[in-house]
Structures are given as C-alpha cells and as structure tokens.
Amino acid sequence: MPSNKSVSDAPIVQFTNCRILRDHQLQREDLWVREGKILNPEKLFFDEKGSADVQLDCKDSIIAPGFIDVQINGGFGVDFSLATDDFKSGIDLVGQKILSHGVTSFCPTLVTSPSSVYHQVLPQISVRNGGAHGAGILGAHLEGPFISKEKKGAHPEHCLRTFEAGAFQDLLATYGCLDCVQIVTLAPEMRRSSEVIRELTKRGICVSLGHSVANLSQAEEAVQHGATFITHLFNAMLPFHHRDPGIVGLLTSDRIPAGRRVFYGMISDGIHTNPAALRIAHRAHPKGLVLVTDAMAGMGLAPGRHTLGQQVVEIDGLNTYIAGTKTLSGSVATMDTCVRHFQEATGCSVEAALEAASLHPAQLLGIEHKKGTLNYDSDADFLMLNDSLYVQATYIAGKEVWRQDVSGM
C-alpha cells in the first residue's frame, strides 16, 4: 500500500456508502478526513499517492454539515442569562447535550438583563472549538437590552435601555466587554442606532434587527449601515402590512446594498410560526433563511416552571409562556426537530432544510470557509442522518462525539 507519510503522519479516514451534501446536492461520494479537515481525494491519490488508513461503512446514511445554532438561551436546566458561580459548567452541559441533536457550534444567547449580569457572564464565555466535551462556541448573541418596549416579548421591561448621547459608549458600559460577542440584536428605530450599528459592524460583530416597531425604511437604513440579520422573523416585530411591510419587507427589498444578503432567523417549532408563514418567508427569500431554536432552560426537561433570564416561564407541551400570561417566551424545540418540521411544513428539499441549519448560519457569521459545508479543507464537523433526518451520529473535527445507541446499528 502506498505510504501516506509524505504529507502527514495522521490517519486518513474514508467514509463510504453515503450521500454527501455538497454544492447544494446530495451526492453519492465518499468523504475523506484527516487531522480534523475534509480532504480532496484527488490530491491524496495523485499528489501524495496516499490511501485510507480506516474505512467506515455509513450504511447509506446522509452526511451533512453540523448544525449551527445562533440563538439558544440555554437548555437542560441551564439559563445563559443567569449569573451563577458554576456558569462554565452550565455552558459545558448544554454544549454536550446538543451534540445528540446535531449541533456542532452555537452562540450562547443572553436575553435582556441588568448590566451586572453581562459583566459577570460575558467574561466567562470564550470562543472555543468543539470536541468530545461538546459543541464549539462561536461567541455570544446579546438579544437586548436596546430593544422596543412595545415589542419586548419575554424581555423584562425594567431592564430595557435606550441609546443616550454617547450611544456606543452606552452599549460598551452596559455589556462591559465585546471580546466574545458575535451577534447583537437591537431595534433600529431607536435614536442613534445607526452609529451603533456602524461601530459594531466595524468590529466584526453581526447586527440583527429584532424586538422592534421599525418601518421598512428604518430597517433598510439599518442594513445600509451594516445590519445583516433579522431576529426570529415575524415574532416581536410589526406584522406585515401591504403599505409598509416593516422589517419583514427586507426579504424582498430592492434597497439592499449590492453584494449584501440579509439573513433572517426562524423558530420552526410548530408554535412560534404558522407553517404558512414559514412557506411565505422561504419562498420569498430561501437563501436567507436561518433556522434557530431560541431554546431556553426548559428544553429537554419536563413541563412546569423554569426561568428565562429575569422571568419565570411555564412550559406546557411545546408551548412556553411567561408565567401567568399568554406571552410566548423562547422555545423548547431542539435543532433537529426544527429541521424536520421546516422540511415538512415548506415541502422544501432535504438539502434546503439541512442548509438552513448549517450553510446559512455559517454564511451569516462569515465562517463558511471552515464551517457549514463539506468542502475540501473545511472543518470536518458533520452528521450522519437517516432519510427522515433523524441524527444517527455527530462528528467534530472528524471524530465521533455522539452516536445513537441502537443495537444493530
């Protein structure tokens, strides 16, 4: 057998008998992995005269990029918006548990909180690679407190903030630190929001529009200043109106700067968004749709009372409300459930459903060169799924980190 030692001593693993999601299509090819990256087999054969050290039969599974959840407030009893002494162990627990749902990278999300919470929690969040310990952390998503009182949803009103004279300095003082921040959700109709959007964008932070009463021209102006995302489309914003479609109108706006794509999150849990609304959004702007769970501490737990930051919430089946009200508050859906519901509700292709949870969030965050695809040289974070899109195994950096415990598999 030809030697593989010319380039690297690391073993080469060949995944066979599978359908790989590549270039927007499921293709019957083998997947080659070495040192945590996806290999180009032609280079291996012809340049290195190499071959596989290990072959794994995937038994006709689908292989898709790992899911990326850019809005997750917690889960399994852990609330990212609570400053606790064991915060790090909590984030580790969530990272570990979501592997079974196909999530290989995530953005821990904090809802509107007192400034002291941001100052305590944010220094404890660090960007890191995933592995057997759990999904990778891409950076925090700060949802609020610079949002609209009228569309606060489950966010506590007493913690909401506006931008004062030194708008960006206000934001810095509130959060304390932006080192680990990946996304900030704000309401673009707020005075001085434009300068904040520009400053955040300049620092490589994604600005998302949400919890807002913005009209379309205010939303378009925010995009022209650098905003690229919409937080949970249809939820916590003005409803679509034919004379002024509000933030929703960004999906078909002709005032988006050339070369820019606006992405939008959708909670496809069967509760937050009617299937018809999912279909409308997907058909209007399929390449911008990003599936998010918006999951909270109660995900993975029995119905009852749990927390979402400063609020007490009640879980009844898949419905989650602020205790004593009918105000929706986050979800308890897992990402794999959202992918399956989205595919069923829209009738989209399997490829489109999988890309909405992998490629699109990677493109939103500008990391598609390493995450969200199975292109050569990208990170070998991927899933094995059956035809019904149930996760059978999860791999990070080419190593199995979770497998469905089914005898005979």
Side-chain angles (χ1 to χ4, degrees), residues 16 32 38 43 56 65 74 82 114 126-127 192-193 208 228 248-249 252 322 328 352-353 355 370 379 401 407:
T16 66
W32 298 74
I38 292 169
K43 280 189 178 177
L56 291 176
L82 289 182
S126 51
V127 175
R192 305 185 182 91
S193 66
S208 189
T228 53
V248 177
T252 56
I322 294 178
L328 281 176
E355 287 187 343
K370 56 183 178 177
D379 293 350
V401 293
S407 56

Side-chain angles (χ1 to χ4, degrees), residues 300-317:
L301 302 182
R305 291 201 159 201
H306 301 281
T307 64
L308 178 61
Q310 309 298 302
Q311 311 268 40
V312 176
V313 297
E314 289 180 295
I315 298 176
D316 177 14

Side-chain angles (χ1 to χ4, degrees), residues 115 146 161-176 192 196:
S115 186
F146 301 98
R161 304 285 293 265
T162 55
F163 294 122
E164 302 308 323
F168 189 69
Q169 293 309 312
D170 275 357
L171 179 139
L172 277 178
T174 301
Y175 296 145
R192 305 185 182 91
V196 172

Side-chain angles (χ1 to χ4, degrees), residues 146-292:
F146 301 98
I147 57 173
S148 157
K149 188 166 71 173
E150 294 88 341
K151 292 295 179 182
K152 65 184 186 296
H155 292 238
E157 187 169 332
H158 71 279
C159 295
L160 298 182
R161 304 285 293 265
T162 55
F163 294 122
E164 302 308 323
F168 189 69
Q169 293 309 312
D170 275 357
L171 179 139
L172 277 178
T174 301
Y175 296 145
C177 161
L178 291 175
D179 292 350
C180 67
V181 176
Q182 183 73 257
I183 304 173
V184 171
T185 292
L186 54 76
E189 70 276 14
M190 280 190 169
R191 287 178 61 215
R192 305 185 182 91
S193 66
S194 293
E195 61 187 270
V196 172
I197 293 169
R198 281 197 300 268
E199 285 296 326
L200 287 170
T201 305
K202 207 184 289 180
R203 286 163 170 75
I205 294 171
C206 165
V207 175
S208 189
L209 311 180
H211 289 277
S212 163
V213 292
N215 60 34
L216 178 57
S217 66
Q218 288 168 325
E220 288 171 331
E221 187 181 343
V223 170
Q224 286 153 12
H225 288 300
T228 53
F229 195 38
I230 303 170
T231 296
H232 45 52
L233 186 78
F234 297 126
N235 290 284
M237 60 187 61
L238 292 177
F240 178 89
H241 188 280
H242 57 285
R243 278 193 290 277
D244 192 334
I247 289 176
V248 177
L250 288 176
L251 270 61
T252 56
S253 169
D254 60 0
R255 295 189 60 205
I256 307 299
R260 178 91 56 79
R261 184 186 305 177
V262 173
F263 293 88
Y264 59 97
M266 296 212 78
I267 310 167
S268 171
D269 61 353
I271 303 292
H272 279 77
T273 315
N274 185 282
L278 270 177
R279 289 191 287 273
I280 287 170
H282 179 246
R283 290 174 192 176
H285 185 26
K287 290 183 176 175
L289 194 147
V290 173
L291 292 177
V292 299

Side-chain angles (χ1 to χ4, degrees), residues 296-358:
M296 55 184 197
M299 176 177 68
L301 302 182
R305 291 201 159 201
H306 301 281
T307 64
L308 178 61
Q310 309 298 302
Q311 311 268 40
V312 176
V313 297
E314 289 180 295
I315 298 176
D316 177 14
L318 280 177
N319 292 289
T320 62
Y321 303 108
I322 294 178
T325 76
K326 286 298 177 187
T327 300
L328 281 176
S329 58
S331 89
V332 287
T334 56
M335 184 60 90
D336 54 329
T337 303
C338 291
V339 170
R340 290 190 295 271
H341 177 72
F342 172 63
Q343 205 256 329
E344 187 182 338
T346 61
C348 72
S349 66
V350 163
E351 292 93 334
L354 293 168
E355 287 187 343
S358 55

